[in-house]
Amino acid sequence: MKIAQWMQHSGVAFGTSGARGLVSAMKDSVCFAYTVGYLRHLASLGEFAPGAAVAVAGDLRPSTPRILRACAAAIRYMHGVPVFCGYVPTPALCLHAFAHGMPSLMVTGSHIPADRNGIKFNRARGEFLKPDEAAMRALDVSLPEGWFDAEGTLTAPPDLPPVTDVVPGFVARYRDFFGADALARLKLGIYQHSAVGRDVLVQIVEALGATAVPLGRMDSFIPVDTEAVRPEDATLAREWAADGTLDGILTTDGDSDRPLLADRHGAWLRGDVLGILAARFLAARAVATPVSSNTALEQAGFAHTVQRTRIGSPYVVAAMTQAAHDGHEPSVGYEANGGFLLASPVTRGERTLAALPTRDSVLPMICALVAARETGTDLAGLVASLPRRFTLSDRLKDMPTEQSAAHIAALRRNPAQGADALGLTGACGPLAHVDETDGLRMTFADSEVIHLRPSGNAPELRVYVEAASPERAAQLLRTGLEAVSAWR
């Protein structure tokens, strides 16, 4: 079958960050077929051939080791050599693989619950982009005779190779750029939960001179979403910060490519605010970010070029890469979930940070902490220096993508009438502008925004809002969620 048919039959399809689906649907046969299709596509590009190494790593979900073995079996079937980098952050895997011109894949479901998982594919020196996905879908893949039982389980799953340790190089990336005393005398909480980079993050902040305080380590998988922060995570941060001894709290999502940073009061910074702070600190001339990100970026005025994209790192990568190609450097990208990407090297003083064109959770958090020190303030003060625009987001769970898309398509046909029927006009005033870059982004009077979009990773309807105060943003989010709840 073509990979597109495998996806249709299994329900494990491409989202914004690779192929994802229910663990029960991600059978060994499905993961094997996808990996074979991935490698055949790379072979057509000259990035894979028999004998070539392919780096693999995974997060801490219970299903990840099994899926990794299925991927390794496919690599060997294609006469490649799997290089197992262990259970490490996605950016650590990518840093190693890109430096060696090596294809790589990460088994992860990112922030979604443990009953789901995924495979994120990378090319030899960058992310797997949308044209790559389209080409992979068109490939025919058949399973080798006798390798799988009737349930699609490998009859002889291979052992994973010994671990190739990529962590030292990942830690050195930040120490060498920022300096061993960049965070000296800071005491930083590290919310570990079940993030695959929980121990690596401790190593990094200590390598920069800070005192790390591990917090909230969990044995079971916790779906921490850096874009839609769980109420219990907001409570935990306030409790940990209550005694006033911490200068900040750092954490990441499950595969540790998306950051979440709290100030000394335990208030989590929005990812799109963190992205602005990092881009400004790095003196970026070109910034690419999804249409859902905070518009304080444009109002801050430091970037020569701003490109708004669809949601998903492949779109951000494409836009920031084009900006770098056009000579606008440093060129960076970030997402509302906080993931930060470098399309070109960045130099500060005599130190240069190499490009890393995939989501990086560590860089924006360290940039913000160092920027606060250099300006003689704290994180809260640094955020207060930005134009006053506030974003929030949440999701309507258990909302099938097809159902969300159908309602949004109907709303798109007559946005003004639809917004009025949902009660949004009464709450926000007249509809002033509609942006269809990704989903439906409605701007009302006083530049207030309600943006509706089906999730690309799970059966959820995402709701994004923006307003001139945090209180009004919270009110808009409640309004938006209540309006679309009738769609279920």
Side-chain angles (χ1 to χ4, degrees), residues 275-276 279 284-291 293 297-298 302-303 305-310 312-324 328 330-336 339-343:
I276 298 171
R285 283 181 52 79
V287 180
T289 193
V291 65
S293 295
L297 169 64
E298 285 86 351
F302 62 86
T305 301
V306 174
Q307 178 68 42
R308 293 283 178 164
T309 73
R310 293 183 63 185
S313 61
Y315 302 108
V316 176
V317 169
M320 72 176 191
T321 301
Q322 184 61 51
H328 304 298
S331 176
V332 309
Y334 66 84
E335 300 177 89
F340 198 87
L341 311 94
L342 282 183

Side-chain angles (χ1 to χ4, degrees), residues 247-313:
D247 294 293
I249 302 170
L250 298 78
T251 193
T252 68
D253 66 340
D255 67 318
S256 296
D257 69 343
R258 308 178 190 196
L260 192 58
L261 176 66
D263 62 24
R264 62 186 179 86
H265 306 292
W268 295 114
L269 277 63
R270 295 285 303 172
D272 49 0
V273 169
L274 186 60
I276 298 171
L277 296 176
R280 185 173 69 176
F281 174 81
L282 296 171
R285 283 181 52 79
V287 180
T289 193
V291 65
S292 58
S293 295
N294 196 312
T295 60
L297 169 64
E298 285 86 351
Q299 296 182 30
F302 62 86
H304 180 267
T305 301
V306 174
Q307 178 68 42
R308 293 283 178 164
T309 73
R310 293 183 63 185
I311 294 169
S313 61

Side-chain angles (χ1 to χ4, degrees), residues 163-187:
V163 172
T164 296
D165 191 359
V166 301
V167 170
F170 191 56
V171 174
R173 172 177 173 81
Y174 307 101
R175 183 194 60 231
D176 295 347
F177 180 67
F178 289 101
D181 61 350
L183 302 180
R185 298 179 299 282
L186 292 184
K187 186 177 180 181

